[in-house]
mmCIF file of all heavy atoms in Angstrom:
data_model
loop_
_atom_site.group_PDB
_atom_site.id
_atom_site.type_symbol
_atom_site.label_atom_id
_atom_site.label_comp_id
_atom_site.label_asym_id
_atom_site.label_seq_id
_atom_site.Cartn_x
_atom_site.Cartn_y
_atom_site.Cartn_z
ATOM 1 N N GLU A 1 -50.828 -65.044 103.503
ATOM 2 C CA GLU A 1 -50.354 -63.662 103.741
ATOM 3 C C GLU A 1 -51.379 -62.572 103.354
ATOM 4 O O GLU A 1 -51.413 -61.519 103.971
ATOM 5 C CB GLU A 1 -49.002 -63.490 102.917
ATOM 6 C CG GLU A 1 -47.677 -64.275 103.352
ATOM 7 C CD GLU A 1 -47.844 -65.674 103.039
ATOM 8 O OE1 GLU A 1 -48.687 -66.107 102.227
ATOM 9 O OE2 GLU A 1 -47.033 -66.509 103.647
ATOM 10 N N ASP A 2 -52.146 -62.821 102.385
ATOM 11 C CA ASP A 2 -53.170 -61.829 101.937
ATOM 12 C C ASP A 2 -54.167 -61.757 103.087
ATOM 13 O O ASP A 2 -54.656 -60.589 103.403
ATOM 14 C CB ASP A 2 -53.969 -62.336 100.676
ATOM 15 C CG ASP A 2 -53.021 -62.365 99.515
ATOM 16 O OD1 ASP A 2 -52.082 -61.532 99.484
ATOM 17 O OD2 ASP A 2 -53.245 -63.139 98.524
ATOM 18 N N ILE A 3 -54.559 -62.865 103.761
ATOM 19 C CA ILE A 3 -55.424 -62.846 104.860
ATOM 20 C C ILE A 3 -54.925 -62.101 106.071
ATOM 21 O O ILE A 3 -55.505 -61.337 106.723
ATOM 22 C CB ILE A 3 -56.015 -64.185 105.260
ATOM 23 C CG1 ILE A 3 -56.755 -64.878 104.038
ATOM 24 C CG2 ILE A 3 -56.900 -64.157 106.457
ATOM 25 C CD1 ILE A 3 -57.263 -66.225 104.250
ATOM 26 N N LEU A 4 -53.684 -62.401 106.309
ATOM 27 C CA LEU A 4 -52.981 -61.834 107.393
ATOM 28 C C LEU A 4 -52.779 -60.269 107.174
ATOM 29 O O LEU A 4 -52.797 -59.519 108.210
ATOM 30 C CB LEU A 4 -51.548 -62.415 107.679
ATOM 31 C CG LEU A 4 -51.651 -63.937 108.128
ATOM 32 C CD1 LEU A 4 -50.160 -64.415 108.309
ATOM 33 C CD2 LEU A 4 -52.349 -64.039 109.419
ATOM 34 N N ALA A 5 -52.599 -59.841 105.965
ATOM 35 C CA ALA A 5 -52.451 -58.482 105.693
ATOM 36 C C ALA A 5 -53.783 -57.768 106.033
ATOM 37 O O ALA A 5 -53.754 -56.523 106.321
ATOM 38 C CB ALA A 5 -52.124 -58.240 104.229
ATOM 39 N N GLU A 6 -54.917 -58.367 105.861
ATOM 40 C CA GLU A 6 -56.161 -57.803 106.280
ATOM 41 C C GLU A 6 -56.218 -57.512 107.730
ATOM 42 O O GLU A 6 -56.955 -56.574 108.199
ATOM 43 C CB GLU A 6 -57.301 -58.673 105.771
ATOM 44 C CG GLU A 6 -57.597 -58.676 104.255
ATOM 45 C CD GLU A 6 -58.063 -57.377 103.829
ATOM 46 O OE1 GLU A 6 -58.966 -56.667 104.463
ATOM 47 O OE2 GLU A 6 -57.444 -56.863 102.798
ATOM 48 N N ILE A 7 -55.395 -58.161 108.554
ATOM 49 C CA ILE A 7 -55.531 -58.058 109.991
ATOM 50 C C ILE A 7 -54.438 -57.104 110.335
ATOM 51 O O ILE A 7 -54.776 -56.125 111.153
ATOM 52 C CB ILE A 7 -55.328 -59.416 110.631
ATOM 53 C CG1 ILE A 7 -56.425 -60.356 110.170
ATOM 54 C CG2 ILE A 7 -55.330 -59.267 112.201
ATOM 55 C CD1 ILE A 7 -56.310 -61.748 110.778
ATOM 56 N N VAL A 8 -53.260 -57.263 109.960
ATOM 57 C CA VAL A 8 -52.099 -56.482 110.545
ATOM 58 C C VAL A 8 -51.622 -55.480 109.561
ATOM 59 O O VAL A 8 -50.655 -54.633 109.925
ATOM 60 C CB VAL A 8 -50.983 -57.450 110.911
ATOM 61 C CG1 VAL A 8 -51.444 -58.445 111.994
ATOM 62 C CG2 VAL A 8 -50.357 -58.189 109.811
ATOM 63 N N GLY A 9 -52.139 -55.447 108.297
ATOM 64 C CA GLY A 9 -51.555 -54.607 107.268
ATOM 65 C C GLY A 9 -50.502 -55.180 106.440
ATOM 66 O O GLY A 9 -50.281 -56.494 106.648
ATOM 67 N N GLU A 10 -50.002 -54.493 105.470
ATOM 68 C CA GLU A 10 -49.092 -55.086 104.516
ATOM 69 C C GLU A 10 -47.891 -55.720 105.222
ATOM 70 O O GLU A 10 -47.318 -55.034 106.125
ATOM 71 C CB GLU A 10 -48.703 -54.147 103.490
ATOM 72 C CG GLU A 10 -49.747 -53.706 102.484
ATOM 73 C CD GLU A 10 -50.278 -54.883 101.680
ATOM 74 O OE1 GLU A 10 -49.490 -55.789 101.439
ATOM 75 O OE2 GLU A 10 -51.408 -54.870 101.431
ATOM 76 N N LEU A 11 -47.524 -56.943 104.857
ATOM 77 C CA LEU A 11 -46.361 -57.618 105.622
ATOM 78 C C LEU A 11 -45.060 -57.246 105.060
ATOM 79 O O LEU A 11 -44.001 -57.430 105.616
ATOM 80 C CB LEU A 11 -46.615 -59.150 105.612
ATOM 81 C CG LEU A 11 -47.868 -59.572 106.360
ATOM 82 C CD1 LEU A 11 -48.020 -60.972 106.117
ATOM 83 C CD2 LEU A 11 -47.949 -59.278 107.817
ATOM 84 N N SER A 12 -45.007 -56.674 103.814
ATOM 85 C CA SER A 12 -43.660 -56.432 103.164
ATOM 86 C C SER A 12 -43.885 -55.187 102.316
ATOM 87 O O SER A 12 -44.992 -54.917 101.817
ATOM 88 C CB SER A 12 -43.324 -57.598 102.274
ATOM 89 O OG SER A 12 -44.193 -57.977 101.395
ATOM 90 N N PRO A 13 -42.811 -54.521 102.134
ATOM 91 C CA PRO A 13 -42.958 -53.171 101.322
ATOM 92 C C PRO A 13 -43.168 -53.628 99.788
ATOM 93 O O PRO A 13 -42.781 -54.846 99.463
ATOM 94 C CB PRO A 13 -41.598 -52.571 101.535
ATOM 95 C CG PRO A 13 -40.740 -53.584 101.838
ATOM 96 C CD PRO A 13 -41.537 -54.568 102.550
ATOM 97 N N PRO A 14 -43.633 -52.792 99.004
ATOM 98 C CA PRO A 14 -43.761 -53.176 97.582
ATOM 99 C C PRO A 14 -42.440 -53.401 96.906
ATOM 100 O O PRO A 14 -41.341 -52.921 97.345
ATOM 101 C CB PRO A 14 -44.504 -51.930 96.929
ATOM 102 C CG PRO A 14 -44.288 -50.833 97.868
ATOM 103 C CD PRO A 14 -44.206 -51.495 99.235
ATOM 104 N N SER A 15 -42.481 -54.198 95.874
ATOM 105 C CA SER A 15 -41.181 -54.532 95.108
ATOM 106 C C SER A 15 -40.716 -53.270 94.463
ATOM 107 O O SER A 15 -41.482 -52.415 94.072
ATOM 108 C CB SER A 15 -41.510 -55.658 94.168
ATOM 109 O OG SER A 15 -42.014 -56.883 94.814
ATOM 110 N N PRO A 16 -39.359 -53.183 94.325
ATOM 111 C CA PRO A 16 -38.860 -52.020 93.698
ATOM 112 C C PRO A 16 -39.343 -51.789 92.287
ATOM 113 O O PRO A 16 -39.575 -50.593 91.891
ATOM 114 C CB PRO A 16 -37.354 -52.236 93.696
ATOM 115 C CG PRO A 16 -37.125 -53.173 94.760
ATOM 116 C CD PRO A 16 -38.331 -54.084 94.789
ATOM 117 N N GLY A 17 -39.602 -52.740 91.495
ATOM 118 C CA GLY A 17 -40.109 -52.663 90.169
ATOM 119 C C GLY A 17 -41.618 -52.451 90.027
ATOM 120 O O GLY A 17 -42.195 -52.277 88.931
ATOM 121 N N GLU A 18 -42.332 -52.533 91.176
ATOM 122 C CA GLU A 18 -43.767 -52.483 91.171
ATOM 123 C C GLU A 18 -44.261 -51.086 91.011
ATOM 124 O O GLU A 18 -43.882 -50.208 91.840
ATOM 125 C CB GLU A 18 -44.341 -53.182 92.447
ATOM 126 C CG GLU A 18 -45.838 -53.231 92.422
ATOM 127 C CD GLU A 18 -46.292 -53.990 93.723
ATOM 128 O OE1 GLU A 18 -45.435 -54.634 94.474
ATOM 129 O OE2 GLU A 18 -47.648 -54.021 93.997
ATOM 130 N N PRO A 19 -45.058 -50.754 89.999
ATOM 131 C CA PRO A 19 -45.504 -49.381 89.741
ATOM 132 C C PRO A 19 -46.492 -48.962 90.935
ATOM 133 O O PRO A 19 -47.245 -49.763 91.416
ATOM 134 C CB PRO A 19 -46.192 -49.486 88.496
ATOM 135 C CG PRO A 19 -46.601 -50.917 88.210
ATOM 136 C CD PRO A 19 -45.545 -51.672 89.032
ATOM 137 N N GLU A 20 -46.438 -47.645 91.235
ATOM 138 C CA GLU A 20 -47.386 -47.123 92.239
ATOM 139 C C GLU A 20 -48.686 -46.865 91.438
ATOM 140 O O GLU A 20 -48.759 -46.503 90.387
ATOM 141 C CB GLU A 20 -46.787 -45.765 92.757
ATOM 142 C CG GLU A 20 -45.655 -45.803 93.507
ATOM 143 C CD GLU A 20 -45.910 -46.491 94.937
ATOM 144 O OE1 GLU A 20 -47.078 -46.400 95.367
ATOM 145 O OE2 GLU A 20 -44.957 -47.107 95.473
ATOM 146 N N GLU A 21 -49.750 -47.212 92.290
ATOM 147 C CA GLU A 21 -51.127 -47.044 91.700
ATOM 148 C C GLU A 21 -51.781 -45.824 92.202
ATOM 149 O O GLU A 21 -52.704 -45.452 91.481
ATOM 150 C CB GLU A 21 -51.976 -48.276 92.034
ATOM 151 C CG GLU A 21 -51.499 -49.569 91.545
ATOM 152 C CD GLU A 21 -52.350 -50.794 91.933
ATOM 153 O OE1 GLU A 21 -52.846 -50.813 93.040
ATOM 154 O OE2 GLU A 21 -52.646 -51.747 91.189
ATOM 155 N N ILE A 22 -51.289 -45.176 93.206
ATOM 156 C CA ILE A 22 -51.961 -43.983 93.738
ATOM 157 C C ILE A 22 -50.931 -42.986 93.796
ATOM 158 O O ILE A 22 -49.906 -43.022 94.410
ATOM 159 C CB ILE A 22 -52.518 -44.279 95.085
ATOM 160 C CG1 ILE A 22 -53.594 -45.457 95.101
ATOM 161 C CG2 ILE A 22 -53.375 -43.033 95.736
ATOM 162 C CD1 ILE A 22 -54.049 -45.822 96.426
ATOM 163 N N HIS A 23 -51.212 -41.770 93.081
ATOM 164 C CA HIS A 23 -50.205 -40.689 92.943
ATOM 165 C C HIS A 23 -50.949 -39.446 93.440
ATOM 166 O O HIS A 23 -51.800 -38.862 92.929
ATOM 167 C CB HIS A 23 -49.973 -40.510 91.539
ATOM 168 C CG HIS A 23 -49.468 -41.688 90.845
ATOM 169 N ND1 HIS A 23 -48.071 -42.139 90.914
ATOM 170 C CD2 HIS A 23 -50.090 -42.618 90.052
ATOM 171 C CE1 HIS A 23 -48.019 -43.257 90.103
ATOM 172 N NE2 HIS A 23 -49.123 -43.596 89.645
ATOM 173 N N PRO A 24 -50.435 -38.893 94.735
ATOM 174 C CA PRO A 24 -50.966 -37.740 95.316
ATOM 175 C C PRO A 24 -50.657 -36.493 94.564
ATOM 176 O O PRO A 24 -49.507 -36.487 93.877
ATOM 177 C CB PRO A 24 -50.442 -37.697 96.693
ATOM 178 C CG PRO A 24 -49.654 -38.857 96.794
ATOM 179 C CD PRO A 24 -49.447 -39.624 95.551
ATOM 180 N N GLN A 25 -51.603 -35.530 94.424
ATOM 181 C CA GLN A 25 -51.352 -34.348 93.662
ATOM 182 C C GLN A 25 -51.343 -33.141 94.560
ATOM 183 O O GLN A 25 -51.752 -33.219 95.725
ATOM 184 C CB GLN A 25 -52.450 -34.110 92.647
ATOM 185 C CG GLN A 25 -52.642 -35.247 91.679
ATOM 186 C CD GLN A 25 -51.411 -35.589 90.826
ATOM 187 O OE1 GLN A 25 -50.910 -34.660 90.185
ATOM 188 N NE2 GLN A 25 -50.803 -36.793 90.945
ATOM 189 N N ALA A 26 -50.852 -31.991 94.068
ATOM 190 C CA ALA A 26 -50.614 -30.850 94.960
ATOM 191 C C ALA A 26 -51.941 -30.248 95.462
ATOM 192 O O ALA A 26 -51.982 -29.626 96.390
ATOM 193 C CB ALA A 26 -49.817 -29.842 94.258
ATOM 194 N N ASP A 27 -52.893 -30.476 94.605
ATOM 195 C CA ASP A 27 -54.236 -29.819 94.882
ATOM 196 C C ASP A 27 -55.171 -30.684 95.947
ATOM 197 O O ASP A 27 -56.242 -30.425 96.154
ATOM 198 C CB ASP A 27 -55.007 -29.528 93.699
ATOM 199 C CG ASP A 27 -55.278 -30.778 92.928
ATOM 200 O OD1 ASP A 27 -54.833 -31.899 93.158
ATOM 201 O OD2 ASP A 27 -56.020 -30.763 91.890
ATOM 202 N N GLY A 28 -54.586 -31.828 96.309
ATOM 203 C CA GLY A 28 -55.264 -32.732 97.304
ATOM 204 C C GLY A 28 -55.840 -33.805 96.697
ATOM 205 O O GLY A 28 -56.453 -34.751 97.355
ATOM 206 N N SER A 29 -55.874 -33.911 95.364
ATOM 207 C CA SER A 29 -56.549 -34.981 94.643
ATOM 208 C C SER A 29 -55.532 -36.062 94.404
ATOM 209 O O SER A 29 -54.361 -35.864 94.747
ATOM 210 C CB SER A 29 -57.089 -34.561 93.283
ATOM 211 O OG SER A 29 -56.077 -34.115 92.393
ATOM 212 N N TYR A 30 -56.024 -37.210 93.796
ATOM 213 C CA TYR A 30 -55.070 -38.325 93.600
ATOM 214 C C TYR A 30 -55.427 -38.880 92.068
ATOM 215 O O TYR A 30 -56.491 -38.960 91.632
ATOM 216 C CB TYR A 30 -55.415 -39.447 94.540
ATOM 217 C CG TYR A 30 -55.181 -39.146 95.954
ATOM 218 C CD1 TYR A 30 -56.123 -38.494 96.771
ATOM 219 C CD2 TYR A 30 -53.967 -39.439 96.578
ATOM 220 C CE1 TYR A 30 -55.946 -38.229 98.094
ATOM 221 C CE2 TYR A 30 -53.655 -39.011 97.903
ATOM 222 C CZ TYR A 30 -54.736 -38.403 98.675
ATOM 223 O OH TYR A 30 -54.511 -38.193 99.957
ATOM 224 N N ILE A 31 -54.317 -39.206 91.469
ATOM 225 C CA ILE A 31 -54.364 -39.804 90.191
ATOM 226 C C ILE A 31 -54.171 -41.342 90.410
ATOM 227 O O ILE A 31 -53.159 -41.865 90.898
ATOM 228 C CB ILE A 31 -53.355 -39.275 89.161
ATOM 229 C CG1 ILE A 31 -53.710 -37.830 88.833
ATOM 230 C CG2 ILE A 31 -53.338 -40.197 87.966
ATOM 231 C CD1 ILE A 31 -52.731 -37.281 87.892
ATOM 232 N N ILE A 32 -55.247 -42.101 90.180
ATOM 233 C CA ILE A 32 -55.343 -43.542 90.522
ATOM 234 C C ILE A 32 -55.440 -44.356 89.249
ATOM 235 O O ILE A 32 -56.246 -44.089 88.399
ATOM 236 C CB ILE A 32 -56.419 -43.742 91.484
ATOM 237 C CG1 ILE A 32 -56.367 -42.793 92.657
ATOM 238 C CG2 ILE A 32 -56.535 -45.208 91.971
ATOM 239 C CD1 ILE A 32 -57.699 -42.771 93.468
ATOM 240 N N GLU A 33 -54.681 -45.474 89.194
ATOM 241 C CA GLU A 33 -54.832 -46.497 88.220
ATOM 242 C C GLU A 33 -56.120 -47.182 88.135
ATOM 243 O O GLU A 33 -56.729 -47.361 89.368
ATOM 244 C CB GLU A 33 -53.695 -47.530 88.300
ATOM 245 C CG GLU A 33 -52.349 -46.932 88.218
ATOM 246 C CD GLU A 33 -52.054 -46.199 86.803
ATOM 247 O OE1 GLU A 33 -52.521 -46.778 85.808
ATOM 248 O OE2 GLU A 33 -51.350 -45.247 86.872
ATOM 249 N N GLY A 34 -56.737 -47.349 87.126
ATOM 250 C CA GLY A 34 -58.060 -48.055 87.080
ATOM 251 C C GLY A 34 -58.138 -49.482 87.590
ATOM 252 O O GLY A 34 -59.161 -49.822 88.063
ATOM 253 N N SER A 35 -57.074 -50.081 87.602
ATOM 254 C CA SER A 35 -56.891 -51.557 88.245
ATOM 255 C C SER A 35 -56.823 -51.580 89.703
ATOM 256 O O SER A 35 -56.659 -52.615 90.311
ATOM 257 C CB SER A 35 -55.782 -52.241 87.491
ATOM 258 O OG SER A 35 -54.567 -51.648 87.646
ATOM 259 N N THR A 36 -56.773 -50.385 90.257
ATOM 260 C CA THR A 36 -56.528 -50.352 91.761
ATOM 261 C C THR A 36 -57.661 -50.967 92.547
ATOM 262 O O THR A 36 -58.827 -50.764 92.231
ATOM 263 C CB THR A 36 -56.311 -48.869 92.331
ATOM 264 O OG1 THR A 36 -55.253 -48.320 91.523
ATOM 265 C CG2 THR A 36 -56.015 -48.867 93.773
ATOM 266 N N ASN A 37 -57.394 -51.965 93.427
ATOM 267 C CA ASN A 37 -58.399 -52.601 94.257
ATOM 268 C C ASN A 37 -58.944 -51.616 95.167
ATOM 269 O O ASN A 37 -58.309 -50.718 95.889
ATOM 270 C CB ASN A 37 -57.700 -53.669 95.111
ATOM 271 C CG ASN A 37 -58.691 -54.477 95.884
ATOM 272 O OD1 ASN A 37 -59.147 -54.128 96.953
ATOM 273 N ND2 ASN A 37 -59.203 -55.608 95.363
ATOM 274 N N LEU A 38 -60.356 -51.640 95.316
ATOM 275 C CA LEU A 38 -61.051 -50.596 96.060
ATOM 276 C C LEU A 38 -60.707 -50.699 97.641
ATOM 277 O O LEU A 38 -60.696 -49.694 98.301
ATOM 278 C CB LEU A 38 -62.614 -50.746 95.768
ATOM 279 C CG LEU A 38 -63.034 -50.209 94.452
ATOM 280 C CD1 LEU A 38 -64.568 -50.505 94.236
ATOM 281 C CD2 LEU A 38 -62.762 -48.704 94.204
#
């Protein structure tokens, strides 16, 4: 599924309990968790 996601995009939505890693801000910047995959 990880390889297929590289081709077609994410196959399933994130789990309800899974924290968001990218948080958009009003000024156009983003607060990003350090563990976020590049």
Side-chain angles (χ1 to χ4, degrees):
E1 288 75 14
D2 294 331
I3 300 179
L4 294 179
E6 288 294 315
I7 301 175
V8 301
E10 292 298 329
L11 301 175
S12 59
S15 304
E18 186 177 347
E20 292 289 337
E21 294 183 323
I22 304 174
H23 307 275
Q25 304 298 302
D27 59 355
S29 64
Y30 299 87
I31 294 179
I32 306 170
E33 301 296 322
S35 59
T36 304
N37 186 277
L38 289 176

